[in-house]
Amino acid sequence: MNIVVLLKQTFDTEEKIIVKDGAVAEADAKLVINPYDEYALEEALRQREAHGGEVRVVSCGGDRSEEALRTALAMGADEAIRLDAATVESGDSFALAAALAKVIEPLKPDLLLAGLFAVDSGSGSVAFQVAERLGLPHASSAVKVGIAGPDEAKASGELPPGAASAARFAVVERDVEGDTETVVIPLPALITAQQGLNEPRYPSLPGIMKAKRKPLARVSAAAGGEEEGARTSRLALFPPAPRAAGRRLAGSPGEQAAELVRLLQAESQLPQ
């Protein structure tokens, strides 16, 4: 099975974010693989162990993002590809998805995996835009993934219209606001990973040594043809306002309540 994993390098979730001169200062910050992408990578490795094949990880970022790709290789991925594109700086999901789709299309994945969303931006739209461009069906928020033939897939759930001729299907249990739903989609397909899908493994020492010899390709966005322009732009980036000091209200409970209402209306600009 040919499996491709979309991977992003993000801030450690415990890292303090500092905004300086209109940009996030990341020179001294600890960067890691996006936690949800770790679930996707672990699932890719488990599916390869069960069905054979190769696992490739694809990321779009600067030179430092290769740290995350090397970690993915140490965990067990076979190959890594770094897309170096101007879209990294723009942060526009439309242009980023277009660039990633051009890299992934010639790989012809049987299964495309990604995290449900990235913890830095939280948009969760890039993977689905890539799937749309590649014409892939998708299932989101997966907490369990199985690969099945037609007969087993029919027993697991209703097949999508026109998919009966597919050779293999993904049977996906997905999180739906505290409950689960089982969906069946034909391969090739995109699946996004939710927390609880698995427990990502740690890179082993032999894996770290092998990662140094595994291929890590660097691709320019221009190599796939003309870049598509961004549809959005960031006008400003600034930290939240400092938290104001607490205020104690004097008087009886009734007077405190009246003063609180007055302050809320005056300072929160609520209608009088």
Side-chain angles (χ1 to χ4, degrees):
M1 181 178 292
N2 183 13
I3 306 173
V4 174
V5 181
L6 286 176
L7 183 147
K8 184 178 184 181
Q9 187 182 52
T10 62
F11 281 88
D12 188 305
T13 52
E14 308 228 340
E15 190 75 12
K16 182 179 180 181
I17 307 300
I18 299 175
V19 177
K20 184 178 180 181
D21 299 327
V24 176
E26 58 180 56
D28 299 321
K30 181 181 178 181
L31 302 179
V32 297
I33 296 176
N34 175 50
Y36 288 88
D37 294 345
E38 278 194 302
Y39 300 129
L41 175 57
E42 175 63 28
E43 189 61 32
L45 298 175
R46 295 187 183 195
Q47 294 298 336
R48 183 193 62 189
E49 291 165 358
H51 303 284
E54 290 187 325
V55 173
R56 294 180 176 89
V57 289
V58 179
S59 183
C60 185
D63 293 341
R64 195 173 176 188
S65 65
E66 292 189 9
E67 299 172 8
L69 290 173
R70 288 295 179 192
T71 299
L73 292 173
M75 289 174 67
D78 299 292
E79 183 181 343
I81 302 172
R82 177 172 72 86
L83 173 63
D84 190 2
T87 51
V88 179
E89 299 299 328
S90 72
D92 177 72
S93 62
F94 178 85
L96 176 57
L100 287 170
K102 291 175 183 177
V103 173
I104 295 170
E105 185 173 20
L107 302 178
K108 299 186 181 302
D110 299 305
L111 181 60
L112 179 61
L113 289 162
L116 180 60
F117 62 88
V119 295
D120 54 359
S121 64
S123 68
S125 67
V126 172
F128 298 116
Q129 292 186 64
V130 171
E132 175 69 19
R133 288 177 175 274
L134 298 179
L136 300 179
H138 64 78
S140 63
S141 304
V143 293
K144 186 177 180 181
V145 177
I147 305 300
D151 293 337
E152 187 180 352
K154 289 178 183 178
S156 300
E158 184 178 352
L159 301 186
S165 61
R168 287 185 294 185
F169 294 81
V171 180
V172 183
E173 288 186 18
R174 52 187 304 268
D175 176 45
V176 284
E177 298 296 334
D179 204 346
T180 57
E181 174 190 39
T182 299
V183 296
V184 179
I185 53 176
L187 296 183
L190 162 73
I191 299 173
T192 61
Q194 171 64 294
Q195 184 177 10
L197 174 60
N198 51 51
E199 187 64 35
R201 67 194 68 185
Y202 289 100
S204 64
L205 181 57
I208 294 172
M209 300 304 294
K210 290 178 182 178
K212 298 177 181 179
R213 300 188 297 272
K214 290 181 179 179
L216 195 163
R218 299 164 183 86
V219 180
S220 170
E226 185 178 352
E227 291 187 55
E228 296 197 34
R231 297 292 181 91
T232 60
S233 62
R234 179 185 294 156
L235 300 180
L237 180 66
F238 46 86
R243 181 177 294 181
R247 187 181 307 179
R248 185 183 295 273
L249 302 180
S252 66
E255 292 171 335
Q256 291 175 3
E259 177 64 8
L260 178 59
V261 171
R262 188 192 67 79
L263 290 172
L264 288 173
Q265 290 177 332
E267 298 184 11
S268 301
Q269 298 182 349
L270 295 175
Q272 300 290 330

